[in-house]
Amino acid sequence: MIQGLKEKTALITGSTSGIGLGIAQALAASGANVVMNGLGNAGDIEKIRTGIEKDHGVRALYHDADMTKPAQIRDMCTKAASIFGAVDILVNNAGIQFVSPIQDFPEDKWNAILSINLTSAFHTIKGCVGGMRSKGWGRIINVASAHGLVASPFKSAYIAAKHGLVGLTKTVALETAKDRITCNAICPGYVLTPLVEGQIRDQAKAHNLPEKEVVEKIMLDPQPTKKFVQIDDVAAMAVFLCSDAAQGITGTALPIDGGWTAR
Ligand code: NAD
């Protein structure tokens, strides 16, 4: 791990589980204080929070902002800045999925996916970029997806949101380019997390197939390595993007997808 993030504060949305939790742990291991966010059981979250503090000797805070609620997002950004001085590293990771043909796609699911997977990043960036400018340093990392670069059927809202997140990434990179702030998107292929475990169960029911076959024949079909991407690999990329060596990398959408988007 790069140990150069002491004195920095990282806010990671959706960090109570999966990729976001992996990124929070990796940034803490590199010395950053972390602001965690996400849904879940209060006792479990508290255990994770105190575990991060104990394991890495950093401060870890939890804010329960719902990523569909702009006022709560603003409150999270303001509280993080007032406690730590500024949010130096912002990771927009919270996300949900829903799979359906477009003619049956429920409007409430479309709205929720667009709010959580795209619009929340607009609000967090708006809330944190001023503090980064004042300090003359910042890193914004948007966890998009291979589905931010290419499409698959039945995921209209998710794919629209993730393509939108890649567009937002490029615009913010241009607006902050002279301020020692970088903004990049990471585009993972399939990673085995609770979000994907849910999809495996749903697909097994829908296709009447054993879960093992769903993984091999459906899920990993577009991923040439035929292996899930590892949470640690995504987290290591996030840590690298925060390093000085990555100061020239901005406005990119970086696939970690086992070759999926090389087709
Ligand atoms: P996950 O379900 O394990 O984690 C999602 C996180 O978002 C959780 O902490 C959850 O509590 C949080 N969240 C959901 N709704 C929220 C809300 N309204 N307010 C606040 N937090 C909320 O899933 P994951 O696979 O770790 O996904 C993390 C990100 O990675 C998502 O943006 C997802 O689209 C993206 N991604 C995942 C994969 C994959 O294969 N798992 C691939 C590419 C991209």
Side-chain angles (χ1 to χ4, degrees):
M1 282 294 165
I2 294 159
Q3 287 292 329
L5 299 179
K6 283 202 166 57
E7 316 293 324
K8 305 279 190 224
T9 297
L11 187 162
I12 307 103
T13 70
S15 46
T16 51
S17 152
I19 294 170
L21 176 55
I23 292 176
Q25 283 167 330
L27 290 172
S30 300
N33 294 317
V34 294
V35 180
M36 296 174 58
N37 157 263
L39 312 176
N41 171 281
D44 294 344
I45 294 171
E46 182 56 12
K47 253 191 224 151
I48 297 171
R49 190 193 68 74
T50 51
I52 288 177
E53 288 196 329
K54 194 164 151 273
D55 291 348
H56 305 296
V58 299
R59 283 183 72 194
L61 242 68
Y62 168 71
H63 193 291
D64 66 357
D66 179 338
M67 290 300 109
T68 64
K69 304 272 182 338
Q72 295 185 18
I73 299 173
R74 278 193 291 277
D75 183 67
M76 176 176 69
C77 296
T78 308
K79 284 215 172 100
S82 73
I83 291 167
F84 289 114
V87 172
D88 307 287
I89 298 163
L90 170 64
V91 183
N92 290 305
N93 165 81
I96 59 166
Q97 174 63 288
F98 189 80
V99 179
S100 161
I102 193 155
Q103 71 269 21
D104 304 323
F105 211 98
E107 285 176 24
D108 62 333
K109 294 288 184 200
W110 171 275
N111 289 334
I113 289 178
L114 269 285
S115 298
I116 296 167
N117 297 21
L118 174 59
T119 307
S120 71
F122 160 73
H123 292 295
T124 55
I125 294 169
K126 193 173 171 193
C128 294
V129 77
M132 292 179 187
R133 279 210 170 95
S134 306
K135 286 181 79 175
W137 192 94
R139 295 287 188 265
I140 301 168
I141 298 169
N142 296 323
V143 180
S145 168
H147 279 134
L149 303 170
V150 295
S152 302
F154 314 128
K155 297 184 174 177
S156 53
Y158 187 85
I159 285 161
K162 294 297 188 183
H163 275 68
L165 191 57
V166 170
L168 178 66
T169 302
K170 293 179 185 176
T171 303
V172 172
L174 295 179
E175 290 188 24
T176 56
K178 292 196 175 134
D179 304 324
R180 293 182 73 225
I181 298 169
T182 68
C183 180
N184 293 285
I186 301 178
C187 299
Y190 280 112
V191 187
L192 194 57
T193 65
L195 182 142
V196 165
E197 282 162 0
Q199 281 187 62
I200 294 170
R201 278 194 300 274
D202 292 348
Q203 300 252 29
K205 263 192 225 144
H207 298 277
N208 199 19
L209 285 173
E211 291 189 6
K212 190 168 176 286
E213 248 176 82
V214 168
V215 169
E216 286 167 8
K217 295 200 174 143
I218 302 175
M219 213 130 246
L220 295 182
D221 181 53
Q223 214 150 280
T225 51
K226 303 296 169 201
K227 283 186 190 145
F228 282 109
V229 171
Q230 300 300 302
I231 291 176
D232 285 353
D233 296 350
V234 180
M237 174 63 85
V239 172
F240 172 69
L241 287 172
C242 294
S243 70
D244 288 342
Q247 63 188 333
I249 302 174
T250 195
T252 67
L254 296 159
I256 309 181
D257 64 3
W260 179 341
T261 54
R263 287 176 194 279

